[in-house]
Amino acid sequence: MSKAIKGNNVKVHYRGTFADGREFDNSHQRGAPISFLLGEGKVIPGFEAAIEGMEATEKKTITLEPEKAYGPINPEAVIEVPKERFPAEFVFVKDGFVRSFGKNGRPVFGKITDIKDASVVLDVNHPLAGKQLTFELELVQIEAAAAEDAASPETKTTAVPDMAEGEE
């Protein structure tokens, strides 16, 4: 049986849990595994490294420290934003989430950690930053990458294990 190597398209079912056992994500509940090109870096580093070398139908459980997952908490990602930058009708709720767009056009979510008279403090770290994560993995399928996939990585759809908004 062949093993997953860089350049293969893979399909993976997974269940992600925190150190206390609480589940934060589960591909089985969505009804489909995630698909990605192994070695492209579109999923967190430790997740991708764990898939490399697995055989189709193989299962294993891994625990990732923050550095191999979503990284440590970055204190510089806690920012103070003037309230005037929000719509006049915006209702500020402590521990609520706000959505904006980064310079690259991708959505950025921030958690309101403090509300001041003229500003709010937002934590724009990834919600899973600084957390140890456990993944139960099942490599569902391995396919050799098509020539056009290897030649144009910007055309591929990516799927990254992520949590639902508002979960810790």
Side-chain angles (χ1 to χ4, degrees):
M1 198 173 250
S2 65
K3 294 181 184 255
I5 60 171
K6 288 181 180 171
N8 288 151
N9 283 310
V10 295
K11 292 184 179 183
V12 179
H13 263 306
Y14 67 93
R15 176 178 179 261
T17 57
F18 295 114
D20 65 5
R22 287 182 301 131
E23 184 176 287
F24 63 85
D25 199 4
N26 186 329
S27 66
H28 295 279
Q29 289 180 345
R30 285 191 304 282
I34 63 166
S35 299
F36 59 96
L37 184 65
L38 194 58
E40 191 176 46
K42 296 294 183 177
V43 296
I44 58 177
F47 190 98
E48 185 167 58
I51 299 302
E52 190 171 355
M54 286 179 70
E55 296 179 351
T57 73
E58 184 178 346
K59 296 178 181 183
K60 70 177 168 182
T61 300
I62 60 168
T63 298
L64 303 177
E65 295 304 319
E67 294 73 23
K68 296 287 183 184
Y70 290 91
I73 293 174
N74 177 0
E76 292 179 17
V78 178
I79 56 175
E80 193 163 337
V81 179
K83 286 182 176 178
E84 65 193 32
R85 292 189 51 199
F86 292 85
E89 69 279 1
F90 190 85
V91 177
F92 298 97
V93 178
K94 187 171 175 21
D95 295 327
F97 286 85
V98 298
R99 179 177 144 180
S100 185
F101 293 92
K103 293 177 183 173
N104 60 5
R106 293 179 61 185
V108 176
F109 292 91
K111 181 178 181 179
I112 299 174
T113 60
D114 194 15
I115 302 170
K116 300 182 178 184
D117 289 338
S119 63
V120 292
V121 178
L122 300 177
D123 183 346
V124 295
N125 280 289
H126 188 284
L128 296 177
K131 297 191 183 328
Q132 182 186 69
L133 305 175
T134 297
F135 291 95
E136 296 169 11
L137 305 171
E138 177 186 3
L139 181 53
V140 176
Q141 186 176 355
I142 304 170
E143 294 178 351
E148 63 272 9
D149 285 346
S152 58
E154 69 280 355
T155 63
K156 283 184 282 315
T157 301
T158 59
V160 179
D162 209 348
M163 63 186 261
E165 187 177 318
E167 293 182 349
E168 298 182 7

